[in-house]
Amino acid sequence: MAHFDIVMPKMGESIEEATITKWFVKEGDKVVEDDVLLEIATDKVDSEIPSPVEGVVKKILFEQDATVEVGTVIAVIEMGGEGSADEKDTPPEKEKEEAPSKDTSTEKTTDTGSKKESPPVQESPQEMGAKSSSGKFYSPLVRKIAKEENISQEELDAIPGSGLNGRVQKNDILGYIESRKSGDVKAAASPATQKSAAPTQVKVNVTTSEGDEVIEMSRMRKLIAAHMLNSKQTSAHVTNMLEIDVTNVVNWRNRVKDEFMAKQGQKLTFLPVFMEATVKALRDYPLINASVDGDNIIVRKNINLGIAVALEDNNLIVPNIKNADQLNLAGLTNSLNNVAAAARNNKLGPDDISGGTFTITNFGTFKNDIGTPIINQPEVAILAIGAIKKKPAVLETPEGDVIAIRSRMWLSLTYDHRIVDGALGGAFLKTLGDYIESFDTNRSI
């Protein structure tokens, strides 16, 4: 019988591993093509993995909650017939030898029934992805590199990690190896050094009283918490605020919204107008559309605009609109509505939530005026938009100053003070406000 190896898929450009959150099948189950086999999760997205073939689940190599390196065989499906094209695409003998297996016997039966001497017994998946005595988690790839480079457990524990919750990733250990070769290993000299380089959350003793309800955080909420802490520990956060007049935008939108719906089939909100102005300001100040990599500043060529979307379970996700600077107002509206709907229906793909370069969060949705948002790493700035409210304002006229009722709104820009100084952050925010205030009310759709 022919075998087909199911491997851990790559769920995005920077994703190197994923966690199995649920198996929908067990060994011996029959599956047809497109049957859901399992659910996996990364620090960016959850996904269901369907079966690409029909057959019987012969082997499940990793249990639920195991974290597995991308490209690793996680299950084997036995198909009917022999010598199928699928066999050629994923040679079972080779990949099975490379994948960790629950079977530690000295012999392995191949598809043709012949026996072949297996390689030395490997660590089980649980051992390869387990925590060390210090409580730190290491992926199978990191452990493999450490073993090949003769890095002791003490050295490994001392390497500062750039991943979620300070996890040591491939780039971290490779950077350490290069530093060790050059004789410069100060960054990972001791656990104390590590703590100063990557602060960990301080455990606070919390007591409960009778009647208190204890709710365990969901997996997504834990990830959000970790991302927020990591961002505050990574970037020097500074927030500038500016109140602007959006009367022109409000009047124009109220006048054309029905026509826009008739022509475009989309509901026109205020946000696409603010997104369009943001893109213009980012073109003027490209250092706001950037990232920090050690001592280097990466100025992004593309403007991939992230939009924070609140979910029904009170969690938050930030899909982004690729190449937003190449879209007109109708295109931005369509893209915004599509990613928001996909987020709320759990239909986002890995590309939808990776590669963002600047984020907008809309506090106005909840009738809030002002906020200090946390930067969405590895970006260097995030914009918060407040609620639009009618207020008395002083207007300058040829006949003198008058008080009039105007629609006004607060903008809050949080930026990374490591590379964005107050002058740059303030200039960007003022330019953005000018673009919005000078909106052309005679604009056609």
Side-chain angles (χ1 to χ4, degrees):
M1 299 288 269
H3 293 166
F4 189 96
D5 290 341
I6 304 298
V7 301
M8 180 62 76
K10 189 171 181 62
M11 301 301 295
E13 182 179 354
S14 61
I15 303 300
E16 297 181 350
E17 60 187 17
T19 300
I20 298 172
T21 55
K22 184 177 182 179
W23 280 102
F24 294 98
V25 296
K26 60 183 182 297
E27 292 181 0
D29 281 357
K30 293 182 180 180
V31 294
V32 298
E33 189 173 345
D34 289 335
D35 275 356
V36 177
L37 298 176
L38 71 157
E39 180 183 73
I40 65 172
T42 70
D43 61 350
K44 295 181 179 293
V45 69
D46 295 355
S47 295
E48 292 181 343
I49 306 302
S51 175
V53 297
E54 180 178 353
V56 176
V57 179
K58 181 178 178 62
K59 201 83 169 176
I60 291 178
L61 301 174
F62 291 90
E63 300 296 334
Q64 182 174 307
D65 297 327
T67 298
V68 185
E69 195 71 26
V70 166
T72 301
V73 178
I74 55 177
V76 179
I77 294 179
E78 186 176 80
M79 303 181 298
E82 296 182 358
S84 69
D86 291 322
E87 266 189 290
K88 298 176 182 178
D89 293 336
T90 55
E93 290 184 18
K94 180 178 179 181
E95 293 192 4
K96 286 179 193 173
E97 290 170 7
E98 295 173 348
S101 173
K102 296 178 183 177
D103 184 2
T104 58
S105 61
T106 58
E107 293 183 332
K108 181 183 294 186
T109 302
T110 67
D111 294 346
T112 60
S114 61
K115 293 186 177 181
K116 183 176 181 178
E117 186 175 345
S118 68
V121 175
Q122 303 179 41
E123 292 175 292
S124 69
Q126 291 76 14
E127 292 171 332
M128 293 184 70
K131 292 182 179 180
S132 70
S133 57
S134 66
K136 296 186 66 176
F137 180 93
Y138 299 100
S139 70
L141 179 60
V142 169
R143 287 185 174 275
K144 179 181 178 183
I145 294 173
K147 184 176 181 180
E148 291 174 349
E149 297 293 331
N150 294 320
I151 295 175
S152 67
Q153 187 64 56
E154 183 178 359
E155 281 183 282
L156 189 58
D157 288 343
I159 298 175
S162 60
L164 181 63
N165 295 325
R167 181 181 297 179
V168 175
Q169 297 182 325
K170 176 183 176 182
N171 292 339
D172 299 323
I173 192 169
L174 292 179
Y176 172 76
I177 292 169
E178 290 300 315
S179 298
R180 189 172 66 168
K181 289 178 180 177
S182 64
D184 180 16
V185 292
K186 295 179 181 179
S190 67
T193 305
Q194 179 196 358
K195 289 181 181 178
S196 64
T200 55
Q201 185 177 4
V202 177
K203 174 66 175 177
V204 178
N205 292 323
V206 179
T207 60
T208 58
S209 302
E210 184 178 353
D212 291 348
E213 181 182 6
V214 179
I215 303 174
E216 183 180 359
M217 287 187 186
S218 66
R219 192 192 66 82
M220 180 175 284
R221 177 50 53 185
K222 291 176 183 178
L223 291 173
I224 292 172
H227 282 309
M228 296 301 97
L229 285 172
N230 176 62
S231 183
K232 294 293 285 187
Q233 293 167 356
T234 299
S235 297
H237 283 59
V238 176
T239 303
N240 286 16
M241 302 173 187
L242 177 68
E243 189 178 25
I244 62 173
D245 191 316
V246 293
T247 305
N248 287 349
V249 175
V250 171
N251 291 340
W252 177 83
R253 183 258 180 184
N254 290 341
R255 179 171 58 83
V256 305
K257 62 180 181 180
D258 293 337
E259 182 184 358
F260 191 92
M261 171 63 81
K263 285 186 175 181
Q264 303 294 337
Q266 296 281 343
K267 181 180 179 181
L268 177 63
T269 63
F270 296 111
L271 187 53
V273 177
F274 304 145
M275 292 164 58
E276 183 183 56
T278 300
V279 166
K280 291 180 180 178
L282 289 172
R283 284 176 178 162
D284 295 339
Y285 297 93
L287 275 177
I288 304 294
N289 191 58
S291 294
V292 178
D293 182 19
D295 294 330
N296 297 322
I297 299 172
I298 302 173
V299 181
R300 302 296 186 181
K301 176 182 177 181
N302 299 324
I303 297 178
N304 299 334
L305 208 55
I307 305 296
V309 178
L311 305 178
E312 291 184 358
D313 59 1
N314 295 321
N315 286 315
L316 185 74
I317 196 165
V318 186
N320 64 80
I321 298 171
K322 299 292 191 294
N323 300 312
D325 54 324
Q326 299 178 20
L327 301 176
N328 59 17
L329 189 61
L332 288 171
T333 302
N334 183 65
S335 297
L336 172 63
N337 292 340
N338 286 343
V339 298
R344 295 184 179 113
N345 293 309
N346 197 27
K347 298 296 184 182
L348 291 172
D351 290 340
D352 295 322
I353 55 173
S354 61
T357 63
F358 183 89
T359 295
I360 297 176
T361 182
N362 187 5
F363 290 165
T365 301
F366 311 105
K367 307 302 181 184
N368 293 169
D369 294 339
I370 306 173
T372 55
I374 297 176
I375 296 168
N376 185 25
Q377 298 293 330
E379 299 163 18
V380 297
I382 181 172
L383 175 72
I385 297 172
I388 298 175
K389 295 185 176 180
K390 290 184 178 181
K391 298 180 180 181
V394 176
L395 297 182
E396 296 179 356
T397 72
E399 291 75 25
D401 294 346
V402 298
I403 296 177
I405 302 300
R406 307 289 290 181
S407 294
R408 297 184 68 82
M409 178 184 77
W410 283 94
L411 299 175
S412 304
L413 179 74
T414 297
Y415 52 90
D416 189 341
H417 214 337
R418 291 180 300 169
I419 69 165
V420 180
D421 291 329
L424 175 59
F428 170 83
L429 193 60
K430 180 63 169 62
T431 298
L432 172 58
D434 290 343
Y435 279 136
I436 296 174
E437 289 188 332
S438 61
F439 185 84
D440 183 6
T441 58
N442 295 317
R443 178 174 176 175
S444 63
I445 58 173

